[in-house]
Amino acid sequence: MTRKPPAPAPTTDSATTADLGVDLHLDVTATGLRKGLTDSLRHAVRSGRLAPGTRLPSSRTLATDLGIARNTVADAYGDLVAEGWLTARQGSGTRVAARAVPGPAAPATPRRARGHVTHDLKPGAPDLARFPRAAWLKAARRALTTAPNEAFGYGDPRGRIELRTALADYLARARGVHTDPDRVIICSGFVQGLTLLANVLRTHHVHDIAVESYGLRPHRNLLTDAGLRQPPLSYDEHGTRVDELPTLEPGAALLTPAHSFPLGMPLSPQRRADAVDWARRTGGLLLEDDYDGEFRYDRQPVGALQGLDPDHVVYLGTASKALAPGLRLGWMVLPGRLVGEVAAAKGEIDWSCSTLDQLTLAEFLTSGAYDRHVRAGRLHYRRRRDQLVTALAEHAPAVTVSGIAAGLHAVLELPPGTEESTVRAAAWQHLTVTGLTGYRHPTASLPPRDALVVGYGTPPDHAWTGALEALCATLRP
C-alpha cells in the first residue's frame, strides 16, 4: 500500500512587501486595487516566488506599504483563502497554503535560506513604500483625461511644455532656480542628462571635467566613456576645494553643492561665489547635481547654485529621491546657448520620455501634491535620522555622524583601519552597508578615511527597526 507523502510543514519564514511582487492596476477604485493585489499574490504563489508555509505581512502592514486601504488587503487575502491559495489561523497569521499547483510545473524561484534576510541600508534610494500611489494615480487619471491628442505623438525632445512650465515654476519657488520653460529639458534621470552634457562638451573641445574626491563610480565611468578626464578636487571642512580649479584648468566641473555626495557637506557661501567667478572668468561650465536639495532638516534648504549665474551653471534634478527612481524622470535647466545642442543630442538617441508620466508629474506639481509629499518626506526622513543618531549615541558612542542634517544618508566615522572589517561584521548581522572607500576617486591625494555610508531612507517602515538594531549590533564595542 502506497503511503501518501505528508504535506510540507509550515515554516517560520516571513515575506516582506517587496517579496510579493505586487503590481496594482491603474484603476483606482477599491475593486480595481483589490483585483490587482489578488492577481499579483496568486501569481507569486503559482510561480513559486512564495513557498508553501511562507507567512505574509499583516493586512495593516501591507496596506501601509502599498498606500491603500486596509480593507482592500483584507478582502484580497479573504478571496485567496476562499480559493485555497492561502490559509488564515488565529495566532498564526496568513500563510501560503501547502497545496499542489495545478498545471505544468513552473521553475521554482530559489528560496532564501532562513536567517539570510538582508536589512538594506545602502544609500541612493528613498523609502519606496512611501510612493504616493493613490495621489499619483489620481494625477495620472486627470492628466490622461485632459491631455490633447497631439500629446501622444513623437513630440518635442525637450519634453512636454506642461511639465517644463510646472518645473520652471516649482524650481524657482523651492530651489531658487532662475529659468523659463524654454531652457528646461526633460530626461530619463541624472545619468541620461550627464551623458548628453558630456557629449556636447566634447563637441566644444572640452577634455577635462573636474569632479569631487568622493562620488559615484558609474558617473566617473560615464565621463570616461565620453572621452573626458576627471581630475579630482580635494575638500576640507568648508566643502569641495573649488580654489583648485584654476590650477587644474578643466573646461567644466561637476559638483553637489547643496549636500556633497556622499560626504554630506554643503559648499560654503564663499566657495559658491568662487566657483561662479571661475566659470565667468574662464568660460567654464558648472554642472550642479541637486540630487536631494529639498531635504534639509536643520534649516531652510540652501538655494541652488544656478541662481547665482544661470548662464554658467547647468542645474540637474530628478524625481528619484522625492518620489522614486523607477519613474526615470529628470530635468536639466540649461544656459540658453546650450539648449538647442542638448535637445538635438537627445533627439538623436532618445526622442522623448513617456508622455503620460510627464503629464502626470506636471499635474502632480501644479495640484500641490508634490509639495505635500515633499513636506511629509522631510518629517519622515528627519525622524529616521534623529533615531539613527540617538541609537548610535546609546549603543556605539565611539561612532560619530558627520555632515549636515540633510538628505537620505549619513556618514558614520569609524576608527582608523576598521572599515573593511565593519562591513564584514555587518554581513554577519544580515545587514547590507557600504564603505566610504568605494566612493573615493582613484587618483585623489587624500589621507585614509574609514567610514560607512548609511542610507537611512531606504528601508520601509516595517523593516527600519530591525535594520537599525542590526547596525547597532554591528557597531557596538
Side-chain angles (χ1 to χ4, degrees):
M1 179 176 178
T2 304
R3 181 175 297 176
K4 184 178 179 181
T11 73
T12 57
D13 287 353
S14 297
T16 66
T17 300
D19 295 330
L20 307 185
V22 173
D23 180 20
L24 299 180
H25 291 179
L26 185 62
D27 185 353
V28 298
T29 64
T31 301
L33 294 174
R34 175 177 172 179
K35 184 178 186 303
L37 178 57
T38 304
D39 290 347
S40 290
L41 293 174
R42 189 184 294 114
H43 175 72
V45 176
R46 182 185 289 117
S47 66
R49 181 171 185 167
L50 293 178
T54 301
R55 183 170 181 167
L56 302 188
S58 69
S59 58
R60 184 187 302 278
T61 297
L62 185 57
T64 300
D65 286 351
L66 297 179
I68 61 179
R70 184 182 180 186
N71 285 346
T72 301
V73 178
D75 290 344
Y77 279 0
D79 291 343
L80 295 173
V81 169
E83 295 174 12
W85 295 100
L86 305 179
T87 62
R89 293 186 179 87
Q90 186 71 28
S92 181
T94 303
R95 295 180 180 272
V96 176
R99 54 162 289 167
V101 178
T109 302
R111 290 183 54 195
R112 289 179 306 189
R114 191 180 306 174
H116 285 76
V117 176
T118 299
H119 299 294
D120 188 359
L121 289 178
K122 292 180 295 185
D127 178 355
L128 299 178
R130 295 195 69 257
F131 183 79
R133 296 169 185 259
W136 186 260
L137 285 171
K138 181 179 179 181
R141 172 167 286 185
R142 181 171 177 80
L144 189 60
T145 301
T146 59
N149 292 334
E150 55 87 16
F152 301 101
Y154 286 105
D156 188 334
R158 294 178 299 171
R160 288 297 303 178
I161 184 61
E162 295 91 340
L163 179 54
R164 291 188 284 120
T165 301
L167 280 170
D169 175 71
Y170 172 78
L171 293 174
R173 172 170 50 83
R175 301 296 299 124
V177 172
H178 181 76
T179 189
D180 59 67
D182 289 338
R183 292 169 63 173
V184 178
I185 290 184
I186 308 303
C187 51
S188 299
F190 174 83
V191 167
Q192 188 190 36
L194 185 60
T195 301
L196 294 171
L197 290 167
N199 292 334
V200 169
L201 286 172
R202 286 290 293 154
T203 67
H204 285 257
H205 307 292
V206 171
H207 300 286
D208 294 347
I209 177 169
V211 297
E212 295 166 333
S213 293
Y214 286 88
L216 287 170
R217 185 181 294 112
H219 294 172
R220 295 195 295 265
N221 292 343
L222 183 157
L223 296 173
T224 298
D225 291 343
L228 294 169
R229 295 184 294 265
Q230 307 115 55
L233 297 164
S234 58
Y235 70 95
D236 59 21
E237 67 274 14
H238 301 294
T240 300
R241 294 282 305 274
V242 296
D243 58 310
E244 297 175 352
L245 288 170
T247 303
L248 296 174
E249 297 184 337
L254 174 61
L255 304 172
T256 51
H259 187 221
S260 66
F261 185 86
L263 297 182
M265 299 176 297
L267 199 60
S268 71
Q270 182 59 53
R271 290 192 178 169
R272 289 162 65 92
D274 291 344
V276 169
D277 288 344
W278 167 81
R280 289 172 177 166
R281 186 173 63 254
T282 65
L285 193 66
L286 298 172
L287 311 185
E288 178 180 14
D289 179 5
D290 194 37
Y291 65 101
D292 66 358
E294 295 150 315
F295 295 103
R296 182 77 186 258
Y297 312 129
D298 57 346
R299 53 163 291 169
Q300 287 295 315
V302 176
L305 183 67
Q306 189 267 1
L308 295 179
D309 194 335
D311 291 329
H312 290 92
V313 181
V314 176
Y315 177 90
L316 297 108
T318 78
S320 295
K321 302 298 184 287
L323 288 169
L327 291 178
R328 306 314 307 143
L329 284 173
W331 43 88
M332 294 179 281
V333 179
L334 296 154
R337 68 184 184 279
L338 294 179
V339 172
E341 291 181 76
V342 175
K346 182 173 185 290
E348 291 176 358
I349 62 172
D350 179 20
W351 189 262
S352 179
C353 306
S354 165
T355 294
L356 179 56
D357 288 341
Q358 291 186 63
L359 293 175
T360 301
L361 181 56
E363 172 64 26
F364 206 68
L365 284 161
T366 56
S367 69
Y370 189 89
D371 288 84
R372 291 190 293 273
H373 182 68
V374 168
R375 285 196 298 270
R378 286 197 195 105
L379 294 174
H380 178 73
Y381 297 123
R382 177 176 184 168
R383 188 178 302 115
R384 287 271 184 96
R385 189 181 190 279
D386 289 346
Q387 291 168 345
L388 171 65
V389 172
T390 300
L392 291 176
E394 179 179 354
H395 299 288
V399 176
T400 59
V401 180
S402 63
I404 59 175
L408 311 183
H409 74 276
V411 176
L412 310 187
E413 302 291 341
L414 302 173
T418 63
E419 180 183 304
E420 185 177 349
S421 60
T422 302
V423 172
R424 288 199 304 268
W428 282 100
Q429 298 293 335
H430 317 305
L431 173 67
T432 301
V433 292
T434 56
L436 181 62
T437 302
Y439 298 94
R440 178 175 169 148
H441 192 288
T443 65
S445 299
L446 297 169
R449 181 174 177 181
D450 291 84
L452 297 182
V453 184
V454 171
Y456 55 79
T458 305
D461 279 342
H462 72 268
W464 166 240
T465 299
L468 187 57
E469 289 176 351
L471 178 65
C472 290
T474 299
L475 300 174
R476 186 178 291 115

